[in-house]
Amino acid sequence: EMQLVESGGNLVQPGGSLRLSCAVSGFTFSDHYMDWVRQAPGKGLEWVGRIRDKAKSYTTQYAASVKGRFTISRDESKNSLFLQMNSLRIEDTAVYFCVRETQSPDTSWYYYMDVWGKGTTVTVSS
Amino acid sequence: SYELTQPPSVSVSPGQTASITCSGDKLGDRYACWYQQKPGQSPLLVIYQDKKRPSGIPERFSGSNSGNTATLTISGTQAIDEADYYCQAWDSSTPYVFGSGTKVTVL
């Protein structure tokens, strides 16, 4: 069974830092791009960022709202994904989901998010 | 930045057809995805690449995309289909852009 299990969510003060982790099992982690998506309380989904695979040199992309503050990394030996969040703001309060991307078998440039974790809650408040 | 617009809510009677729209500039030139999210749960992919269903998704879920509008259709809607539905498309600056979500109520 494919599983993505997030951890590390907590209450943190504005300006603080937090590191989220996502433990992956049930599929070949190294074959997939991975993402973080967040959802503020009572709001919709917001893409946070992605990290590609080794073939694409583990390059990353970020939403404008977090660029320069958040960093995504992965550890293939531990089947884990990470999100380092610095300079946290009140508006970063959300549930953070770890998400797997899969490449379309018939359209090589097209990827979609097909497996989601249950999420971990980050609250930024003084 | 690219924007996707969805109606806030859609109501449907059990057994009837629900249509949820997602509008964006030349959306038909991009692929659309749809996610279902029930309260307290993580999103579930129900349609990708405009009209493909992942394994395990019932046939009553179908998708289309043309012009400026993508549509998720739920045929023979059941009470278990009551949820929030989000569309998503690609953009050159942001790989994943989500719509604002539509709450489907089965009356």
Side-chain angles (χ1 to χ4, degrees):
Chain A
E1 179 191 3
M2 294 179 289
Q3 278 197 312
L4 306 175
V5 180
E6 303 91 337
S7 60
N10 210 334
L11 171 64
V12 60
Q13 291 188 338
S17 298
L18 206 58
R19 188 188 195 216
L20 305 184
S21 300
C22 172
V24 170
S25 60
F27 63 92
T28 304
F29 178 59
S30 59
D31 285 349
H32 293 267
Y33 296 2
M34 297 295 297
D35 294 61
W36 290 95
V37 174
R38 69 185 181 183
Q39 186 170 35
K43 302 297 184 181
L45 302 171
E46 180 187 15
W47 176 78
V48 172
R50 80 189 315 195
I51 184 166
R52 297 181 178 88
D53 57 11
K54 182 178 180 180
K56 290 292 173 65
S57 303
Y58 302 121
T59 51
T60 54
Q61 288 178 278
Y62 298 95
S65 58
V66 306
K67 195 170 186 178
R69 300 188 299 122
F70 289 12
T71 301
I72 298 174
S73 60
R74 60 194 295 166
D75 186 335
E76 306 289 331
S77 67
K78 295 181 180 179
N79 277 3
S80 294
L81 177 73
F82 305 100
L83 178 64
Q84 177 66 43
M85 303 185 293
N86 299 330
S87 303
L88 281 162
R89 306 167 180 169
I90 291 176
E91 55 265 33
D92 294 320
T93 295
V95 174
Y96 285 73
F97 296 102
C98 170
V99 188
R100 183 185 86 166
E101 287 191 52
T102 288
Q103 184 182 32
S104 169
D106 56 16
T107 306
S108 61
W109 58 264
Y110 177 70
Y111 291 77
Y112 53 94
M113 293 188 283
D114 64 339
V115 182
W116 295 63
K118 295 186 184 303
T120 187
T121 300
V122 173
T123 303
V124 185
S125 174
S126 55
Chain B
S1 62
Y2 193 70
E3 293 187 1
L4 296 172
T5 301
Q6 299 181 236
S9 62
V10 167
S11 297
V12 60
S13 300
Q16 298 303 302
T17 297
S19 295
I20 307 160
T21 59
C22 175
S23 299
D25 185 48
K26 298 180 181 178
L27 180 55
D29 292 343
R30 310 165 188 246
Y31 284 129
C33 273
W34 291 90
Y35 301 90
Q36 175 194 71
Q37 187 180 31
K38 296 181 179 180
Q41 297 185 16
S42 52
L44 172 70
L45 179 69
V46 294
I47 293 288
Y48 68 98
Q49 209 164 345
D50 290 342
K51 56 185 178 182
K52 296 182 178 180
R53 275 181 293 105
S55 174
I57 300 302
E59 291 184 5
R60 64 179 181 274
F61 289 89
S62 62
S64 64
N65 186 15
S66 178
N68 295 322
T69 304
T71 302
L72 174 69
T73 302
I74 311 174
S75 304
T77 307
Q78 301 181 11
I80 58 171
D81 300 329
E82 190 163 282
D84 293 328
Y85 290 84
Y86 294 90
C87 62
Q88 173 262 311
W90 282 71
D91 179 59
S92 58
S93 59
T94 302
Y96 291 99
V97 177
F98 291 97
S100 51
T102 298
K103 182 177 181 61
V104 171
T105 302
V106 183
L107 298 170

